[in-house]
């Protein structure tokens, strides 16, 4: 009964604030934006700009016809340097300097495109990256919710709860339960949005929700542990943010684990991000 009352009180307090609903809307949007940005970074597509006649572009396109990772476009003399800086073209083939030089550049592109493809395949795909971002964010958000226990203790709420004949474990479990339910609801909305609106998402809905439950559980347990260790609201939030960021890096969000130094590869096994990504790879 005590656990239920704590959960009910916490959930009422959380959902009486407008910022809770704001977070529910912001997280899916943030994931979509992050996915869109990293899609350009991690995409295997190589864009080639061709300077010369239209026939030169067609000849170059014919050379790469069987390689769907390469897209050949007609470049303009007036804007070619700006286009290179903004990333419109990855490489330039200039037929105006002679066909031989253009062919040499094409051979370099063939070699570099294969190396690029191999390197990027070693890292995360889009689904893995979005889930890694999700658990990183909610390791922090869950700690914000769980850290309210510290404030309750300082204000004597916990003491009055114990004077009423309730046990400490009931209060603790109430906070764990309310944190889990709050995080699960928001993660459910985020993953549901990904499933409905992200065409690149190929994970079955049931498996996606199962991952959501696991992410919620890991985030909630992490949050409660951090709160119990730090015993200060500000310290808990700062510590959670630092550990979540480190976990994201070690989990391979930004650098493929296979490309990390050996010692970091060992420590990456402690990262919740890597646990989720490995599980996703198993069930996919």
């Amino acid at each position: 009964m005590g656990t239920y009352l704590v959960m009910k009180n916490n959930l009422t307090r959380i959902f009486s604030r407008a910022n809770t609903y704001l977070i529910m809307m912001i997280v899916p949007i943030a994931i979509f934006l992050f996915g869109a940005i990293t899609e350009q970074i991690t995409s295997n597509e190589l864009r080639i700009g061709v300077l010369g006649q239209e026939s030169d572009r067609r000849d170059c396109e014919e050379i790469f016809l069987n390689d769907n990772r390469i897209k050949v476009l007609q470049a303009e003399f007036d804007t070619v340097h700006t286009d290179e800086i903004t990333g419109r073209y990855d490489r330039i083939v200039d037929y105006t300097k002679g066909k031989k030089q253009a062919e040499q550049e094409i051979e370099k592109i063939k070699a570099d495109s294969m190396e690029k493809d191999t390197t990027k395949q070693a890292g995360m795909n889009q689904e893995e990256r979005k889930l890694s971002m999700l658990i990183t964010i909610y390791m922090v958000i869950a700690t914000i919710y769980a850290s309210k226990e510290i404030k309750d203790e300082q204000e004597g709420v916990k003491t009055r709860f114990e004077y009423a004949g309730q046990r400490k474990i009931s209060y603790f479990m109430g906070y764990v339960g309310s944190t889990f339910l709050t995080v699960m609801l928001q993660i459910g909305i985020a993953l549901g949005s990904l499933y409905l609106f992200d065409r690149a998402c190929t994970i079955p809905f049931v498996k996606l929700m199962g991952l959501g439950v696991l992410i919620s559980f890991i985030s909630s347990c992490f949050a409660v542990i951090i709160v119990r260790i730090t015993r200060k609201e500000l310290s808990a939030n700062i510590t959670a943010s630092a550990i979540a960021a480190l976990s994201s890096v070690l989990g391979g969000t930004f650098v493929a684990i296979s490309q990390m130094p050996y010692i970091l590869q060992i420590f990456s096994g402690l990262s919740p991000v890597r646990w989720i990504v490995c599980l996703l790879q198993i069930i996919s």
Side-chain angles (χ1 to χ4, degrees):
M1 186 64 180
T3 299
Y4 168 76
L5 291 175
V6 173
M7 289 177 60
K8 181 181 177 181
N9 178 67
N10 288 344
L11 292 173
T12 301
R13 179 168 53 180
I14 289 170
F15 287 99
S16 64
R17 300 177 181 178
N19 62 352
T20 299
Y21 300 95
L22 185 63
I23 290 173
M24 289 182 181
M25 297 299 296
I26 288 177
V27 169
I29 295 173
I31 293 172
F32 292 144
L33 289 176
F34 181 80
I37 293 171
T38 56
E39 184 176 1
Q40 295 297 322
I41 298 173
T42 61
S43 174
N44 286 333
E45 183 179 75
L46 186 68
R47 295 175 295 277
I48 300 174
V50 176
L51 286 174
Q53 303 297 321
E54 176 63 22
S55 58
D56 296 325
R57 186 196 64 79
R58 287 197 298 268
D59 290 342
C60 187
E61 191 173 50
E62 185 70 24
I63 294 172
F64 295 107
L65 186 62
N66 296 325
D67 193 338
N68 56 16
R69 295 176 292 106
I70 295 179
K71 187 174 183 179
V72 180
L73 304 168
Q74 184 71 47
E76 301 294 335
F77 284 100
D78 296 336
T79 62
V80 64
H81 296 299
T82 302
D83 291 338
E84 279 191 281
I85 293 173
T86 58
R88 183 177 182 183
Y89 307 127
D90 295 307
R91 301 291 287 271
I92 296 295
V93 176
D94 192 351
Y95 278 88
T96 64
K97 295 181 178 179
K99 189 173 181 178
K100 184 176 180 180
Q101 185 170 338
E103 289 175 347
Q104 291 175 346
E105 182 63 25
I106 288 172
E107 291 302 318
K108 291 180 182 179
I109 291 173
K110 287 181 179 179
D112 292 347
S113 66
M114 292 183 66
E115 181 180 351
K116 178 181 180 181
D117 182 53
T118 301
T119 300
K120 290 190 173 181
Q121 284 181 354
M124 291 184 179
N125 60 34
Q126 291 301 310
E127 292 173 345
E128 293 167 354
R129 196 175 298 277
K130 289 172 184 176
L131 285 179
S132 71
M133 190 66 176
L134 189 67
I135 188 172
T136 301
I137 291 172
Y138 272 101
M139 286 170 70
V140 178
I141 293 178
T143 304
I144 294 174
Y145 291 137
S147 64
K148 300 305 177 184
E149 180 190 358
I150 299 173
K151 185 177 180 181
D152 285 355
E153 187 172 2
Q154 293 172 345
E155 293 178 351
V157 175
K158 191 174 180 180
T159 302
R160 291 194 294 272
F161 180 82
E162 293 174 9
Y163 283 160
Q166 302 293 338
R167 295 181 300 172
K168 289 184 179 181
I169 188 64
S170 297
Y171 195 86
F172 173 76
M173 293 305 298
Y175 254 96
V176 173
S178 60
T179 301
F180 173 80
L181 290 176
T182 304
V183 171
M184 181 62 233
L185 177 60
Q186 296 183 24
I187 288 179
I189 293 173
L191 293 180
S193 300
L194 283 174
Y195 181 80
L196 291 174
F197 302 111
D198 189 351
R199 294 181 179 180
C201 182
T202 59
I203 309 173
F205 182 75
V206 174
K207 291 182 178 180
L208 193 62
M209 290 299 105
L211 287 170
V213 172
L214 183 58
I215 290 173
S216 302
F217 177 76
I218 292 174
S219 300
S220 301
C221 291
F222 167 81
V224 171
I225 291 172
I226 292 298
V227 168
R228 302 293 288 186
I229 291 175
T230 58
R231 305 312 302 164
K232 291 185 179 180
E233 193 170 351
L234 180 60
S235 298
N237 294 332
I238 293 175
T239 303
S241 299
I243 295 177
L246 180 61
S247 177
S248 183
V249 172
L250 291 176
T253 303
F254 305 104
V255 179
I257 294 175
S258 61
Q259 297 175 2
M260 293 181 183
Y262 180 70
I263 187 65
L264 293 183
Q265 292 184 34
I266 295 176
F267 281 112
S268 70
L270 301 174
S271 170
V273 172
R274 185 173 182 183
W275 303 344
I276 293 298
V277 171
C278 289
L279 180 61
L280 177 57
Q281 292 171 346
I282 292 172
I283 67 176
S284 296

